[in-house]
Amino acid sequence: MQSIIDPEECLQDSPKFRSMLEEQESQIELLEHKLEKVLKVCGLVVDSGKTYVGQQSLFANTLWDLSVCFRHQPDTMSRLNKLIQALQEMNKFHTMLLDQASRTILKNLTIFVKE
C-alpha cells in the first residue's frame, strides 16, 4: 500500500504536511458520514422488510382461511395451497435475506465505524 503522506514531511511538520493531513482527515470524516448513512438506510430497509414479511405471512394465513370455503373443489384448493406454499417459501427466503443483511452489513459496519 502506497503512503499518501510522505514520512519525511511528517518529520518536518511543514505546511504541506499540515494541508495533506487536513485533507486526509476531511476524507475520513466524509467516509464516516457516508457509512453512517448506509447504516441508517440499511436499518430502515431491514425494518421495512420485517414489516413486509409479517404482512405477507398474514396474507398467506388469510388465504389459508379462505381455502376452507373451497374444500369441496379440489382444483381450487390445489391452486390455493400452491400459492400459500409459494408465499411461505418466499417469506422464508426474505427472512433469511433480512437476517443476513442485518448480521453482515449492520453489525460489521457498526463495529468498523466504532473502531
Side-chain angles (χ1 to χ4, degrees):
M1 182 166 119
Q2 183 180 351
S3 175
I4 296 174
I5 299 177
D6 184 22
E8 293 296 322
E9 290 288 329
C10 297
L11 294 174
Q12 294 175 8
D13 195 27
S14 68
K16 181 181 176 184
F17 168 72
R18 291 288 174 172
S19 69
M20 291 174 68
L21 188 61
E22 285 177 22
E23 182 182 330
Q24 294 306 310
E25 286 175 347
S26 68
Q27 289 296 319
I28 290 171
E29 287 176 14
L30 178 65
L31 175 64
E32 286 176 346
H33 176 69
K34 300 276 185 189
L35 287 173
E36 287 171 1
K37 190 173 181 179
V38 166
L39 287 171
K40 181 181 177 183
V41 172
C42 186
L44 291 172
V45 167
V46 168
D47 291 342
S48 298
K50 287 178 182 179
T51 301
Y52 172 75
V53 167
Q55 292 300 315
Q56 193 170 4
S57 180
L58 182 62
F59 178 58
N61 289 338
T62 57
L63 288 176
W64 185 255
D65 290 342
L66 176 67
S67 69
V68 173
C69 298
F70 297 101
R71 64 178 164 248
H72 300 298
Q73 298 175 2
D75 285 344
T76 306
M77 270 299 269
S78 172
R79 290 188 178 107
L80 275 173
N81 285 338
K82 284 182 183 179
L83 178 59
I84 292 166
Q85 288 173 353
L87 286 172
Q88 289 172 337
E89 185 87 5
M90 231 175 13
N91 265 354
K92 182 177 83 172
F93 288 119
H94 278 128
T95 302
M96 286 176 14
L97 175 67
L98 293 171
D99 180 55
Q100 289 293 323
S102 180
R103 283 190 291 129
T104 57
I105 296 172
L106 289 176
K107 182 182 175 188
N108 291 338
L109 271 182
T110 301
I111 292 169
F112 177 75
V113 169
K114 285 182 180 178
E115 290 177 357

